Amino acid sequence: MFILKRLLLLIVIIFIAYGSKPVWEERVHATGLESMLSKIEEMKNSPKVQDAFEQFYNDVNLLLIKFDESFRDLEDNAKNNTQGKDIDKPSLSAPDSQVFSIHNIELGDSRTEVEKELGKPQRNTLNEYGVSWHTYHENFQNFLMVSYDTEQKVNGLYTNQDILTSSAGIKMDSPKKAVHSQLGDPLDKIRKGLTVYQLQNNGEHDVFQVDGSYVTVFYDKHEKDSVTAVQIIDENLEQNKQGFYTEPSPELKEGFELQLFDLTNAARVNHGLHPLTWNDQVRETARKHSLDMADHNYFSHTNREGASPFERMEADQVAFRTAGENLAYGQMSSIFAHEGLMNSKGHRENILQTHYEYLGIGVAFNGDSQPYFTENFFSR
């Protein structure tokens, strides 16, 4: 592919060479060629030829740009086709005692059993329940997150990949109607002591009470409302969570940032794209914008000084060829923020943009503990 690209560029350069007087022309002494070159020189001085050449030169420039974009796409596709070739989907079995299992893991399984099967996690980060998500994946394939209670028993699970099994026959890509048919009507509220929490119902997810747990099923509006992710939270863990939002801390801020990064890459791999590389420099740009929005109660890609995302990145000396930004606000976790972004066309396009190479994410909380998420994507 690289050789073909160079060959095409060489052909274009040869065409350009005939529109100007190259150095080698002075070294040609054959009589026939001298006559031909003389005629070419006369034609070159014609205004019509010069106009035509200028148009030709502009067309060549556009052609080169299109060639460059096309070859980038081909190179990305080749890279994607080789990624994960040797990574197999695990052998999955039906749940032993519950409706759902993820990677053959169910609520109540011991941490020892999980780590015997999966090894050590790639990352541990604090989540909104005050416990850690232990994140497992193989270059973002077979992606799942697991949490444990004080007795080191599984009390939380999440995946957005095809490692879900269910005794009810629900799987990734199942239609919403099939989920309702098997699990009944979703909850519209959760009671915690004397407080009743009204659940948001925007059609993008449903919450069900199953096997002493709260199961949130997320749907992809761009794929005919099919199942795209599942979160399973033990009832005791949910009941112990006070309030809709969690008291902010530096650990929770970083947890939300890294969880959203991992979720983004798992989604990209689902769609045949390469994972993005974390970038600390642009994370600072994202953090500053999230903090500015949280502190001054606004929500916009343009900050209070009128600077766009690109101007903010340039001010922080982030060198980029292409760039984009996603914003989210008010979701109670990185999972809900990510699933919401994937259901928004423009945000989804940024997440699944082929050319992006780097991502930095910044989170900040306002006085009501509501998180603001800023994702900055770019390529060099």
Side-chain angles (χ1 to χ4, degrees), residues 16-57:
I16 294 172
Y18 276 101
S20 60
K21 187 172 180 177
V23 174
W24 50 261
E25 188 177 298
E26 296 174 358
R27 298 179 183 175
V28 178
H29 298 291
T31 306
L33 284 178
E34 286 178 354
S35 175
M36 188 192 331
L37 290 172
S38 176
K39 291 187 186 225
I40 290 174
E41 187 68 25
E42 290 175 10
M43 290 175 63
K44 233 172 74 176
N45 294 327
S46 165
K48 289 184 179 179
V49 171
Q50 288 176 354
D51 291 343
F53 175 72
E54 185 177 350
Q55 182 61 46
F56 169 75
Y57 185 80

Coordinates of all heavy atoms in Angstrom, one line a residue, residues 16-57:
I16 N 3.3 17.5 -13.0 CA 3.7 18.9 -12.6 C 5.0 19.3 -13.3 O 5.2 20.5 -13.7 CB 3.8 19.0 -11.1 CG1 2.4 18.7 -10.5 CG2 4.4 20.3 -10.6 CD1 2.4 18.6 -9.0
A17 N 5.9 18.4 -13.4 CA 7.2 18.7 -14.0 C 7.1 19.2 -15.4 O 7.9 20.1 -15.8 CB 8.1 17.5 -13.9
Y18 N 6.1 18.7 -16.2 CA 6.0 19.2 -17.5 C 5.3 20.6 -17.6 O 5.3 21.2 -18.7 CB 5.1 18.2 -18.3 CG 6.0 17.0 -18.9 CD1 6.0 15.8 -18.2 CD2 6.8 17.2 -20.0 CE1 6.7 14.8 -18.7 CE2 7.5 16.2 -20.5 CZ 7.5 14.9 -19.8 OH 8.3 13.9 -20.3
G19 N 4.9 21.1 -16.5 CA 4.3 22.4 -16.5 C 5.3 23.5 -16.1 O 5.0 24.7 -16.0
S20 N 6.5 23.1 -15.8 CA 7.6 24.0 -15.4 C 8.9 23.5 -16.1 O 8.9 22.5 -16.7 CB 7.8 24.0 -13.9 OG 8.1 22.8 -13.4
K21 N 10.0 24.3 -16.0 CA 11.2 24.0 -16.6 C 12.1 23.3 -15.7 O 12.7 23.9 -14.8 CB 11.9 25.2 -17.2 CG 13.1 24.9 -18.0 CD 13.6 26.2 -18.7 CE 14.8 25.9 -19.5 NZ 15.3 27.0 -20.2
P22 N 12.2 22.0 -15.7 CA 13.0 21.2 -14.8 C 14.5 21.4 -15.1 O 14.9 21.7 -16.2 CB 12.6 19.8 -15.0 CG 12.1 19.7 -16.4 CD 11.5 21.1 -16.7
V23 N 15.3 21.0 -14.1 CA 16.8 21.1 -14.2 C 17.3 20.2 -15.3 O 18.2 20.6 -16.0 CB 17.4 20.8 -12.8 CG1 18.9 20.8 -13.0 CG2 17.0 21.8 -11.8
W24 N 16.7 19.0 -15.3 CA 17.3 18.0 -16.3 C 17.1 18.5 -17.7 O 17.7 18.0 -18.6 CB 16.7 16.6 -16.1 CG 15.2 16.6 -16.0 CD1 14.4 16.5 -14.9 CD2 14.3 16.6 -17.1 NE1 13.1 16.4 -15.2 CE2 13.0 16.5 -16.5 CE3 14.4 16.6 -18.5 CZ2 11.8 16.5 -17.3 CZ3 13.2 16.6 -19.3 CH2 12.0 16.5 -18.7
E25 N 16.2 19.4 -18.0 CA 15.9 19.9 -19.4 C 17.2 20.5 -20.0 O 17.4 20.3 -21.2 CB 14.8 20.9 -19.4 CG 14.3 21.3 -20.7 CD 13.1 22.2 -20.6 OE1 12.1 21.8 -20.0 OE2 13.3 23.3 -21.1
E26 N 18.0 21.1 -19.2 CA 19.2 21.8 -19.7 C 20.2 20.8 -20.1 O 21.2 21.1 -20.8 CB 19.7 22.7 -18.6 CG 18.8 23.8 -18.2 CD 19.3 24.6 -17.1 OE1 20.3 24.2 -16.5 OE2 18.6 25.6 -16.7
R27 N 20.1 19.5 -19.6 CA 21.1 18.5 -20.0 C 20.7 17.7 -21.2 O 21.5 16.8 -21.5 CB 21.3 17.6 -18.7 CG 21.8 18.3 -17.5 CD 21.9 17.4 -16.3 NE 22.3 18.2 -15.2 CZ 22.4 17.7 -13.9 NH1 22.1 16.4 -13.7 NH2 22.8 18.4 -12.9
V28 N 19.6 17.9 -21.8 CA 19.2 17.2 -23.0 C 19.7 17.9 -24.2 O 19.5 19.1 -24.5 CB 17.7 17.1 -23.1 CG1 17.3 16.3 -24.3 CG2 17.2 16.4 -21.8
H29 N 20.5 17.2 -25.1 CA 21.1 17.8 -26.2 C 20.7 17.2 -27.6 O 21.1 17.7 -28.6 CB 22.7 17.7 -26.1 CG 23.2 18.4 -24.9 ND1 23.2 19.7 -24.7 CD2 23.7 17.8 -23.8 CE1 23.7 20.0 -23.6 NE2 24.1 18.9 -23.0
A30 N 19.8 16.2 -27.6 CA 19.4 15.6 -28.8 C 18.6 16.6 -29.6 O 17.8 17.4 -29.1 CB 18.6 14.4 -28.6
T31 N 18.9 16.7 -31.0 CA 18.3 17.7 -31.8 C 16.8 17.7 -31.8 O 16.1 18.7 -31.7 CB 18.8 17.5 -33.3 OG1 20.2 17.5 -33.3 CG2 18.3 18.7 -34.2
G32 N 16.2 16.5 -31.9 CA 14.7 16.4 -32.0 C 14.1 16.8 -30.7 O 13.0 17.5 -30.7
L33 N 14.7 16.5 -29.6 CA 14.1 16.9 -28.3 C 14.2 18.4 -28.1 O 13.4 19.0 -27.5 CB 14.9 16.2 -27.2 CG 14.5 14.7 -27.0 CD1 15.3 14.1 -25.9 CD2 13.0 14.5 -26.7
E34 N 15.3 19.0 -28.6 CA 15.5 20.4 -28.4 C 14.4 21.2 -29.1 O 13.8 22.2 -28.6 CB 16.8 20.9 -29.0 CG 18.0 20.5 -28.1 CD 19.3 20.9 -28.7 OE1 19.3 21.4 -29.8 OE2 20.3 20.7 -28.0
S35 N 14.0 20.7 -30.3 CA 12.9 21.3 -31.1 C 11.6 21.2 -30.3 O 10.8 22.1 -30.2 CB 12.8 20.7 -32.4 OG 11.7 21.2 -33.1
M36 N 11.4 20.0 -29.8 CA 10.1 19.7 -29.0 C 10.1 20.6 -27.8 O 9.0 21.2 -27.4 CB 10.0 18.3 -28.6 CG 8.7 17.9 -28.0 SD 8.6 16.4 -27.2 CE 9.7 15.4 -28.0
L37 N 11.2 20.7 -27.1 CA 11.2 21.5 -25.9 C 11.0 23.0 -26.1 O 10.4 23.7 -25.3 CB 12.5 21.3 -25.1 CG 12.7 19.9 -24.5 CD1 14.1 19.7 -24.0 CD2 11.7 19.7 -23.4
S38 N 11.5 23.4 -27.3 CA 11.3 24.8 -27.7 C 9.8 25.1 -27.9 O 9.3 26.1 -27.5 CB 12.1 25.1 -29.0 OG 11.8 26.4 -29.4
K39 N 9.1 24.2 -28.5 CA 7.7 24.4 -28.7 C 6.9 24.4 -27.4 O 6.0 25.1 -27.2 CB 7.1 23.3 -29.6 CG 7.6 23.4 -31.0 CD 6.9 22.4 -32.0 CE 7.6 22.5 -33.3 NZ 6.7 22.6 -34.4
I40 N 7.4 23.5 -26.5 CA 6.7 23.4 -25.2 C 6.9 24.7 -24.4 O 6.0 25.3 -23.8 CB 7.3 22.2 -24.3 CG1 6.9 20.9 -24.9 CG2 6.9 22.4 -22.9 CD1 7.5 19.7 -24.3
E41 N 8.1 25.3 -24.6 CA 8.4 26.6 -24.0 C 7.5 27.7 -24.5 O 7.0 28.5 -23.7 CB 9.9 27.0 -24.2 CG 10.4 28.2 -23.4 CD 10.5 27.9 -21.9 OE1 10.6 26.8 -21.5 OE2 10.3 28.9 -21.2
E42 N 7.2 27.7 -25.8 CA 6.4 28.7 -26.4 C 4.9 28.5 -25.8 O 4.2 29.5 -25.5 CB 6.3 28.6 -27.9 CG 7.6 29.0 -28.6 CD 7.6 28.8 -30.1 OE1 6.5 28.4 -30.6 OE2 8.7 28.9 -30.7
M43 N 4.5 27.3 -25.8 CA 3.2 27.0 -25.3 C 3.0 27.4 -23.8 O 2.0 27.9 -23.4 CB 2.8 25.5 -25.4 CG 2.7 25.0 -26.8 SD 2.4 23.2 -26.9 CE 0.9 23.1 -26.0
K44 N 4.1 27.2 -23.1 CA 4.1 27.6 -21.7 C 3.8 29.1 -21.4 O 3.2 29.5 -20.5 CB 5.4 27.2 -21.1 CG 5.3 26.3 -19.8 CD 6.7 25.9 -19.4 CE 7.4 27.0 -18.8 NZ 8.7 26.7 -18.2
N45 N 4.3 29.9 -22.4 CA 4.2 31.3 -22.2 C 2.8 31.8 -22.6 O 2.5 33.0 -22.5 CB 5.3 32.1 -23.0 CG 6.6 31.8 -22.5 OD1 6.8 31.6 -21.3 ND2 7.6 31.7 -23.3
S46 N 2.0 31.0 -23.2 CA 0.6 31.4 -23.6 C -0.3 31.5 -22.4 O -0.3 30.7 -21.5 CB 0.0 30.3 -24.5 OG -1.4 30.4 -24.7
P47 N -1.0 32.7 -22.3 CA -1.9 32.9 -21.2 C -2.9 31.8 -21.0 O -3.2 31.4 -19.8 CB -2.6 34.2 -21.5 CG -1.7 34.9 -22.5 CD -1.0 33.8 -23.3
K48 N -3.4 31.2 -22.1 CA -4.4 30.2 -21.9 C -3.8 28.9 -21.3 O -4.4 28.3 -20.4 CB -5.0 29.8 -23.3 CG -5.9 30.8 -23.9 CD -6.5 30.3 -25.2 CE -7.4 31.4 -25.8 NZ -8.0 31.0 -27.1
V49 N -2.5 28.6 -21.7 CA -1.9 27.5 -21.1 C -1.6 27.7 -19.7 O -1.7 26.8 -18.8 CB -0.6 27.2 -21.9 CG1 0.2 26.1 -21.2 CG2 -0.9 26.7 -23.3
Q50 N -1.2 28.9 -19.3 CA -0.9 29.3 -17.9 C -2.1 29.1 -17.1 O -2.1 28.6 -16.0 CB -0.3 30.7 -17.8 CG 1.1 30.8 -18.4 CD 1.7 32.2 -18.3 OE1 0.9 33.1 -18.0 NE2 2.9 32.3 -18.7
D51 N -3.3 29.6 -17.6 CA -4.5 29.4 -16.8 C -4.9 28.0 -16.6 O -5.3 27.5 -15.6 CB -5.7 30.2 -17.5 CG -5.5 31.7 -17.5 OD1 -4.7 32.2 -16.6 OD2 -6.2 32.4 -18.3
A52 N -4.7 27.2 -17.8 CA -5.0 25.8 -17.7 C -4.1 25.1 -16.7 O -4.5 24.2 -15.9 CB -4.9 25.2 -19.1
F53 N -2.8 25.5 -16.7 CA -1.9 24.9 -15.8 C -2.2 25.2 -14.3 O -2.1 24.4 -13.4 CB -0.4 25.3 -16.1 CG 0.5 24.8 -15.1 CD1 0.9 23.4 -15.1 CD2 1.1 25.6 -14.1 CE1 1.8 22.9 -14.1 CE2 2.0 25.1 -13.2 CZ 2.3 23.8 -13.2
E54 N -2.6 26.5 -14.1 CA -3.0 26.8 -12.7 C -4.2 26.0 -12.2 O -4.2 25.5 -11.1 CB -3.3 28.3 -12.7 CG -3.6 28.8 -11.3 CD -3.9 30.3 -11.2 OE1 -3.7 31.0 -12.2 OE2 -4.3 30.8 -10.2
Q55 N -5.2 25.8 -13.1 CA -6.3 25.0 -12.8 C -5.9 23.5 -12.5 O -6.3 22.9 -11.6 CB -7.4 25.0 -13.9 CG -8.6 24.2 -13.6 CD -9.3 24.7 -12.3 OE1 -9.5 25.9 -12.1 NE2 -9.7 23.8 -11.4
F56 N -4.9 23.1 -13.4 CA -4.4 21.7 -13.3 C -3.7 21.5 -11.9 O -3.8 20.6 -11.2 CB -3.5 21.4 -14.4 CG -2.7 20.1 -14.3 CD1 -3.2 18.9 -14.4 CD2 -1.3 20.2 -13.9 CE1 -2.5 17.8 -14.3 CE2 -0.6 19.1 -13.7 CZ -1.2 17.8 -13.9
Y57 N -2.9 22.6 -11.6 CA -2.2 22.5 -10.3 C -3.1 22.5 -9.1 O -2.9 21.7 -8.2 CB -1.3 23.8 -10.2 CG -0.4 23.8 -9.0 CD1 0.8 23.1 -9.0 CD2 -0.7 24.5 -7.9 CE1 1.7 23.1 -7.9 CE2 0.1 24.5 -6.8 CZ 1.3 23.8 -6.8 OH 2.1 23.8 -5.7

